[in-house]
Structure formats: structure tokens, C-alpha cells
Amino acid sequence: QVQLVETGGGVVQAGDSLTLSCAASGGTFNPYTVGWFRQAPGKEREFVVAKNWSGGTTRYAGSMKGRCTISRDKAKSTVYLQMNSLKPEDTAVYYCAAKYYGLASDANDYNYWGQGTQVTVSS
């Protein structure tokens, strides 16, 4: 059974950059779409970015466009989320998720999830 594990979170200063990793284990990791979501205390889980690796298309949340890049290393079965110009409002637990077929921004459409990694941006 494929499992996803997020790493790379931590405490950073506003304006800094940070790269999160989502590593798959336990099986073949070749979903068509990988997405990142985040959840702050007291708020609903929200969409950040997703990429369909078949067509190479990417969908961004409005607040993230221009500030993040999603990439992957096939050999390591790992997907990365690079975030730039971080703001205090980016503070949240970040989750990696995967699904087959087309892009989606609804968390309910994703089949596989990691446990999350905490990102804290100080002002």
C-alpha cells in the first residue's frame, strides 16, 4: 500500500523560502496528479497547488500563484513544493495528496494523503 510522508517543515522568517518533500513508499508512485493542501488552526483545509504529470498542467490557488513551484524526482518517488516569499498567513500544516487522472482542487477528490508537516512563518 502506498504511503505518503511530508517533511521539510519548520520555522522561517517572513520573506524566506522553504521546500517541502512528499515521499512515497510501499509501492509504485505514479499518480497522474499530486496536490498540496494546508490547514491552519480553526480553519478548513484549503487547496494550495496541484500538478498533473501526464499533461504537465498545473493549477494554483490564487494566493500561491507566482510564489510556489511543484516538482518531482522520479528516482526518489518524491514530490517537492518550493514556496517563496513566505508570509505569516502561510502558517499551517501542509499536506501532500495524490489521485489518478485529472487536476482537482477539492480535497475530497484525492485518494492518498500524508500526515502533514508544520510550517510556521514568523513576522
Side-chain angles (χ1 to χ4, degrees):
Q1 179 176 310
V2 174
Q3 295 181 325
L4 305 179
V5 179
E6 303 95 336
T7 57
V11 180
V12 298
Q13 299 290 325
D16 283 355
S17 297
L18 189 67
T19 298
L20 307 181
S21 299
C22 174
S25 63
T28 302
F29 183 58
N30 61 348
Y32 291 164
T33 295
V34 174
W36 287 88
F37 293 78
R38 67 186 183 187
Q39 187 167 23
K43 296 185 178 180
E44 296 182 350
R45 187 167 299 187
E46 67 173 345
F47 172 75
V48 177
V49 64
K51 185 165 186 174
N52 179 277
W53 299 107
S54 179
T57 55
T58 307
R59 180 183 296 174
Y60 302 90
S63 62
M64 291 289 103
K65 192 170 185 178
R67 296 201 296 123
C68 71
T69 301
I70 186 169
S71 60
R72 69 173 176 176
D73 185 330
K74 288 184 177 181
K76 296 181 179 180
S77 296
T78 301
V79 173
Y80 304 96
L81 174 65
Q82 179 179 300
M83 298 183 287
N84 307 310
S85 301
L86 286 166
K87 308 172 183 179
E89 49 264 44
D90 293 320
T91 295
V93 176
Y94 283 72
Y95 298 89
C96 176
K99 66 184 295 292
Y100 291 98
Y101 308 111
L103 285 169
S105 56
D106 189 335
N108 292 326
D109 291 333
Y110 288 79
N111 308 109
Y112 305 96
W113 291 86
Q115 295 298 307
T117 184
Q118 177 72 47
V119 173
T120 301
V121 184
S122 62
S123 60

